Amino acid sequence: MVKSLIEITNETGLHARPASEFVKVAKNYKSDVFLQKEDKKINAKSILGILALCLNKGSKAEIIVDGEDEGMAMEALTDLINNMVE
């Protein structure tokens, strides 16, 4: 299991379009992917779960990946978050 703390830096936060992109990338991997904000942990392969976290600019959350390809999944997901411009 790998974990990484992220901060949402894009102006509009993780709204529908970037959340959809996050889910799309997460689904490319066999590992289980979760996002946790404070005490709320959701399946990050669900766009509704991501939207329910209300990740606005400046929000901090933890990406948790568990499975056979967890390293590659974590790298792809953190790169996506760090390079969001929308």
Side-chain angles (χ1 to χ4, degrees), residues 52-68:
L53 288 181
C54 298
L55 294 169
N56 300 314
K57 182 179 180 182
S59 295
K60 293 181 180 174
E62 191 168 48
I63 301 173
I64 303 164
V65 185
D66 187 20
E68 63 186 75

Side-chain angles (χ1 to χ4, degrees), residues 16-35:
R17 195 171 334 164
S20 174
E21 186 65 27
F22 190 93
V23 168
K24 184 177 170 185
V25 172
K27 285 185 173 181
N28 286 334
Y29 299 94
K30 293 179 180 177
S31 296
D32 294 324
V33 181
F34 301 95
L35 271 174

Side-chain angles (χ1 to χ4, degrees), residues 21 28 30 36 39-40 42-43 69:
E21 186 65 27
N28 286 334
K30 293 179 180 177
Q36 183 166 358
D39 62 344
K40 194 170 188 177
I42 58 94
N43 177 349
D69 53 2

